[in-house]
Amino acid sequence: MIVLKIILVTLLVAVMFLYEFPRMKSGKMKEKAVFTVVASAGWGLALLLMFVPGLPGPTELINYVFRPIWSMFKFVE
């Protein structure tokens, strides 16, 4: 079942590349590089979440970073 999910996600990213990449202007190398990096990062995160479904999300990272700042504001009240 997980192999099927990996294949489907990979096909989705491949179709996205085949559709979008040729339509980008040929002189826009930075745009193509950013598109490639963001799409690859999304593909990697999707695969990572398939193998480790209990992985904490980005909101937990934000809570971890801003919790000390939030506690400082609680003392002000």
Side-chain angles (χ1 to χ4, degrees), residues 8 14 16 24 60 77:
L8 288 175
M16 188 173 67
M24 291 182 191
E60 292 182 30
E77 294 179 335

Short mmCIF file of all heavy atoms in Angstrom, two decimals, residues 8 14 16 24 60 77:
data_model
loop_
_atom_site.label_atom_id
_atom_site.label_comp_id
_atom_site.label_asym_id
_atom_site.label_seq_id
_atom_site.Cartn_x
_atom_site.Cartn_y
_atom_site.Cartn_z
N LEU A 8 2.18 7.17 -6.57
CA LEU A 8 1.21 8.21 -6.90
C LEU A 8 1.75 9.61 -6.63
O LEU A 8 1.56 10.52 -7.44
CB LEU A 8 -0.09 7.97 -6.14
CG LEU A 8 -0.94 6.80 -6.61
CD1 LEU A 8 -2.14 6.60 -5.70
CD2 LEU A 8 -1.38 6.99 -8.04
N ALA A 14 5.79 14.49 -11.01
CA ALA A 14 6.30 14.41 -12.39
C ALA A 14 5.36 15.11 -13.36
O ALA A 14 5.80 15.84 -14.26
CB ALA A 14 6.50 12.95 -12.78
N MET A 16 3.31 17.49 -12.60
CA MET A 16 3.43 18.91 -12.31
C MET A 16 4.65 19.50 -13.02
O MET A 16 4.57 20.58 -13.61
CB MET A 16 3.54 19.11 -10.80
CG MET A 16 3.49 20.54 -10.36
SD MET A 16 3.42 20.71 -8.58
CE MET A 16 5.02 20.10 -8.10
N MET A 24 7.43 27.83 -18.39
CA MET A 24 8.21 28.92 -17.82
C MET A 24 9.11 29.51 -18.91
O MET A 24 9.58 28.79 -19.79
CB MET A 24 9.07 28.43 -16.65
CG MET A 24 8.28 28.04 -15.46
SD MET A 24 9.39 27.55 -14.15
CE MET A 24 8.24 26.85 -13.01
N GLU A 60 3.74 22.93 15.59
CA GLU A 60 4.44 22.56 16.83
C GLU A 60 5.82 23.21 16.88
O GLU A 60 6.29 23.59 17.95
CB GLU A 60 4.54 21.05 16.95
CG GLU A 60 3.18 20.41 17.18
CD GLU A 60 3.26 18.92 17.36
OE1 GLU A 60 4.28 18.43 17.86
OE2 GLU A 60 2.28 18.25 17.00
N GLU A 77 0.80 41.19 32.01
CA GLU A 77 -0.62 41.41 32.33
C GLU A 77 -0.84 41.73 33.75
O GLU A 77 -0.54 41.56 34.75
CB GLU A 77 -1.45 40.21 31.95
CG GLU A 77 -1.49 39.99 30.48
CD GLU A 77 -2.30 38.77 30.09
OE1 GLU A 77 -2.44 37.84 30.90
OE2 GLU A 77 -2.80 38.78 28.98
#
